[in-house]
Amino acid sequence: MSWLITNLWLIPAVPLALSLVILSLANSGRKSAAALAVIGQIVAFGSSIFVFFSTLQTPGFRAVQNFTWFSFGENALRIGWVLDPLAAAMMMMIALVGLCIFIFSVGYMADDKNFTRFFAYLSFFSGAMLGVVIANSLLLLFIFWELVGLASYLLIGFWIERPSAAAAAKKAFITTRIGDMGFFLGMLWLYGRSGTLLF
């Protein structure tokens, strides 16, 4: 079980890493892009199932992995991830729904000229969402939430040449940035009062 907790970060890391690999492919690698994206989701889903059933072996199971990201003066900024049945169930749900969307998109986007880029964005979105549910600090949660916001912006404005898509992406970006500023200020206030951003 300790190996699972230590390496839990690999579940969101797989789709995030594959999104960069897919983005590097040319449009000629359409089949490879779809295959990599779907395989990444299968790996995330399979791992999430394994992790979920592992957490059910011990009643009230909850484990955290925290480490110091960097120190400044006498203060240290710590981040980490958490594993409990709820986090594992949410990972499983995100990976399952993502897998269904990925498979559907193979046919739906088949004729799109930016097919490869679309699957890179989808993988990026999935990895960011998986990171949100295992974050054990407000800082890491904020980082992954910003990645989710970026992925949402890219997907909403995917057909940027259409004025409606461009306007919707801009609206979503501005709205979420306003909320994120409140989130960031709240984090600064909490860190000033408590000296930590860990949950």
Side-chain angles (χ1 to χ4, degrees):
M1 185 59 90
S2 62
W3 185 90
L4 277 179
I5 299 154
T6 306
N7 296 285
L8 189 65
W9 62 275
L10 288 170
I11 296 177
V14 168
L16 284 173
L18 284 176
S19 71
L20 297 175
V21 173
I22 294 166
L23 203 56
S24 70
L25 297 174
N27 274 335
S28 57
R30 293 162 68 92
K31 287 184 180 177
S32 300
L36 284 172
V38 171
I39 288 168
Q41 280 304 106
I42 291 171
V43 168
F45 182 50
S47 303
S48 300
I49 291 172
F50 179 72
V51 166
F52 176 69
F53 285 107
S54 297
T55 61
L56 299 180
Q57 302 299 318
T58 307
F61 178 84
R62 187 175 192 276
V64 296
Q65 177 80 26
N66 296 322
F67 58 92
T68 301
W69 188 21
F70 65 86
S71 301
F72 45 99
E74 295 180 4
N75 299 313
L77 201 51
R78 292 173 59 77
I79 59 174
W81 47 89
V82 62
L83 178 60
D84 57 24
L86 178 60
M90 291 304 298
M91 279 197 301
M92 201 166 54
M93 183 61 64
I94 290 165
L96 173 61
V97 173
L99 180 60
C100 294
I101 293 168
F102 280 44
I103 292 170
F104 175 79
S105 297
V106 172
Y108 185 79
M109 298 294 291
D111 298 325
D112 196 278
K113 63 180 181 181
N114 294 312
F115 182 89
T116 303
R117 182 164 55 92
F118 180 76
F119 277 94
Y121 292 170
L122 273 185
S123 288
F124 183 67
F125 184 81
S126 174
M129 283 295 293
L130 289 166
V132 165
V133 299
I134 64 167
N136 190 42
S137 76
L138 282 171
L139 177 61
L140 197 59
L141 176 66
F142 182 76
I143 290 168
F144 277 115
W145 184 249
E146 288 301 306
L147 294 178
V148 168
L150 174 59
S152 298
Y153 170 76
L154 293 171
L155 286 167
I156 292 167
F158 182 73
W159 289 299
I160 199 74
E161 65 277 1
R162 299 180 187 173
S164 59
K170 187 167 80 172
K171 183 178 178 181
F173 184 81
I174 292 169
T175 304
T176 53
R177 291 300 74 74
I178 292 169
D180 291 347
M181 185 54 68
F183 187 175
F184 184 70
L185 292 174
M187 278 193 343
L188 291 178
W189 180 81
L190 279 169
Y191 188 78
R193 297 299 294 262
S194 65
T196 184
L197 292 175
L198 293 174
F199 291 147

